[in-house]
Amino acid sequence: MKNNLFYFQWYKILFLTMLIDPIFVIYAYSEGLSANQIFILTSIEAVLIMLLEVPTGVISDLFGYKISMVLSVFCFIVSNIILIIFPTFAGFLLCEIFMALYKVFASGADETYLYLILDNKDDYTKVAGKLDSIHFILSGIFSISIGYLYAINKRYPFVISIIICTLALLMAVRLENVREYKKDIKTVKELSEEFFANQRRGFELICKSKKLRWFIAYSAVISFALVAIMQTYQLYFSARGIPVQYFGLIYFLLYLVSSVSSKLAHHFKGFHEYKMFMALLLMLTLTPLLMAFPAEILIVTIIIPRIIIGIYPSVMKEYMNKEIKMDRATIFSIRSLVSKVPQVVLLPFVGYVIDDKGLSYSLVMIFICLSVAGGILLEVNSY
């Protein structure tokens, strides 16, 4: 297992999917896409994830988590190649398909793999937080140059992303394939039966567990919030008059914030989970409202989502892992599926409001949505 942990650590560190984040929206804009089209593409990706999330989670549980991780990196590399060769709306749509595939193959697989290869399961949040911290630091370091590379040639950031993620692919290939439980499946009928049995067991466990149901509902709200807010960052920077070559530096600072918060994430296990998660949601709810005000000082509020990204994922996964006894990747995939529902429904409206009314109106709209959702979570609290 020691070699597995070594290769897994390098796979996680080198799988730098955030490298293109500082320039992705601006790149799409430069190729003629509108804000509404960009948010529609994000919504389409969410629909694809909803359709594929649970089946790919079941496949991970049945055939092993290494296979899913290898396919995840491969699909991400292909999506970057498409953006270089076909920078049209159709090309971006094809890119989003492969982006969805990389996310569904990774969802549930990597966190389950790490949880299973650790001798001491209580170390999960600490180890995952450490890996996330290194990941964010590297993403930040590379991001400093991304804006400048974009200014030289707007396709260079994607080339860098492909090279680094190819190294991650080589690490993933070296992993031993791990399954939580082994089942000898010899026929298509047996595979089909076990496939649907996995899904049934996953949904049954969620239905029986009040905590899991609340965790999944909370994940749906916070996932929408993070995507909706951070999708506006590059438009927000442009509206503030910040040159694109400085976007990478800003993202470096944001990733540094996430790195520090993820490093400290395991300390948050001592708090009551419900109160801690609701405090994080309150901070996130206020962020778009503060961003909507013209005061220059309020630009610092963009660090709030990055703080939460550092804390929330690993802590939430550990709390969920403690509630799950089997079919972990399937259940994590169900959580991811549910998390995409608000994105599918609301993101196109966010893009439409940006094009029709302006960025500030869309930020206020996000604030209202999160306020309502937060109130509902308070009402259904089962603690």
Side-chain angles (χ1 to χ4, degrees):
M1 288 294 184
K2 287 185 177 180
N3 283 339
N4 275 340
L5 184 58
F6 172 81
Y7 289 125
F8 179 84
Q9 286 174 331
W10 279 106
Y11 152 78
K12 285 289 288 184
I13 290 169
L14 292 169
F15 194 14
L16 300 178
T17 58
M18 294 182 291
L19 278 185
I20 59 175
D21 285 358
I23 50 84
F24 182 83
V25 173
I26 293 298
Y27 179 70
Y29 250 57
S30 73
E31 296 296 338
L33 275 68
S34 67
N36 193 29
Q37 287 177 314
I38 293 169
F39 278 88
I40 286 173
L41 286 170
T42 305
S43 185
I44 290 172
E45 178 191 302
V47 171
L48 291 171
I49 291 173
M50 288 175 61
L51 295 174
L52 299 171
E53 188 69 70
V54 177
T56 52
V58 174
I59 289 170
S60 294
D61 282 327
L62 292 178
F63 297 105
Y65 307 109
K66 168 188 172 176
I67 294 171
S68 290
M69 289 188 287
V70 169
L71 289 172
S72 175
V73 186
F74 176 77
C75 289
F76 181 76
I77 292 171
V78 171
S79 70
N80 279 257
I81 293 172
I82 292 169
L83 287 175
I84 294 174
I85 300 175
F86 305 111
T88 62
F89 181 81
F92 275 91
L93 178 59
L94 186 59
C95 165
E96 293 294 348
I97 292 172
F98 278 93
M99 285 281 191
L101 287 170
Y102 113 69
K103 289 177 181 178
V104 294
F105 279 121
S107 176
D110 52 1
E111 53 256 39
T112 302
Y113 192 96
L114 175 60
Y115 189 79
L116 293 177
I117 65 175
L118 286 176
D119 294 327
N120 184 358
K121 308 304 182 190
D122 288 335
D123 287 339
Y124 174 84
T125 300
K126 187 175 183 179
V127 175
K130 177 184 176 182
L131 290 175
D132 287 342
S133 178
I134 297 171
H135 182 93
F136 284 127
I137 288 175
L138 279 179
S139 295
I141 291 172
F142 281 107
S143 291
I144 294 175
S145 63
I146 290 299
Y148 292 98
L149 286 173
Y150 181 87
I152 298 170
N153 186 312
K154 59 187 179 183
R155 289 173 176 77
Y156 282 174
F158 302 103
V159 174
I160 298 297
S161 177
I162 291 168
I163 293 171
I164 295 174
C165 288
T166 299
L167 296 177
L169 179 62
L170 295 176
M171 294 297 105
V173 169
R174 299 296 299 273
L175 291 169
E176 176 187 345
N177 198 19
V178 173
R179 286 186 283 176
E180 188 164 15
Y181 66 97
K182 297 181 179 179
K183 194 174 184 69
D184 187 19
I185 299 174
K186 297 179 180 179
T187 67
V188 174
K189 182 181 179 181
E190 289 177 345
L191 173 61
S192 177
E193 290 174 350
E194 190 59 26
F195 179 87
F196 289 107
N198 269 56
Q199 293 191 53
R200 185 176 63 254
R201 285 194 301 266
F203 280 107
E204 286 175 352
L205 179 57
I206 291 169
C207 289
K208 291 176 182 177
S209 172
K210 290 182 178 180
K211 277 194 174 184
L212 278 179
R213 291 202 303 272
W214 193 88
F215 287 153
I216 289 172
Y218 178 88
S219 297
V221 175
I222 206 163
S223 295
F224 163 74
L226 290 170
V227 171
I229 294 170
M230 293 193 297
Q231 193 88 330
T232 67
Y233 273 8
Q234 290 157 50
L235 302 178
Y236 181 71
F237 299 155
S238 296
R240 296 283 180 171
I242 301 173
V244 67
Q245 56 262 41
Y246 296 127
F247 285 13
L249 180 59
I250 294 172
Y251 272 82
F252 165 71
L253 296 174
L254 293 174
Y255 292 150
L256 187 61
V257 169
S258 293
S259 175
V260 173
S261 61
S262 61
K263 183 73 173 176
L264 301 174
H266 66 281
H267 293 296
F268 286 81
K269 291 194 299 178
F271 297 96
H272 189 283
E273 57 261 39
Y274 167 73
K275 293 179 180 178
M276 177 197 65
F277 285 136
M278 289 307 296
L280 294 178
L281 182 57
L282 176 61
M283 293 169 58
L284 196 56
T285 300
L286 293 173
T287 299
L289 181 64
L290 295 173
M291 288 173 63
F293 286 98
E296 296 295 333
I297 187 65
L298 292 178
I299 195 172
V300 299
T301 57
I302 64 172
I303 70 171
I304 294 175
R306 300 308 315 189
I307 292 172
I308 292 169
I309 281 178
I311 298 169
Y312 154 74
S314 57
V315 176
M316 175 62 81
K317 287 168 187 174
E318 176 157 337
Y319 282 134
M320 288 189 66
N321 268 313
K322 289 179 179 179
E323 296 294 317
I324 301 170
K325 306 306 177 186
M326 64 187 304
D327 302 318
R328 295 178 193 277
T330 300
I331 292 172
F332 277 113
S333 293
I334 293 171
R335 181 191 74 144
S336 184
L337 182 155
V338 174
S339 296
K340 294 295 180 281
V341 174
Q343 297 177 35
V344 171
V345 175
L346 296 174
L347 285 180
F349 289 103
V350 175
Y352 172 79
V353 173
I354 291 175
D355 282 337
D356 190 55
K357 298 292 184 181
L359 182 59
S360 295
Y361 282 92
S362 70
L363 291 170
V364 173
M365 171 187 163
I366 295 169
F367 163 75
I368 293 170
C369 291
L370 294 181
S371 299
V372 172
I376 294 171
L377 285 173
L378 281 171
E379 287 296 320
V380 300
N381 167 37
S382 61
Y383 293 92

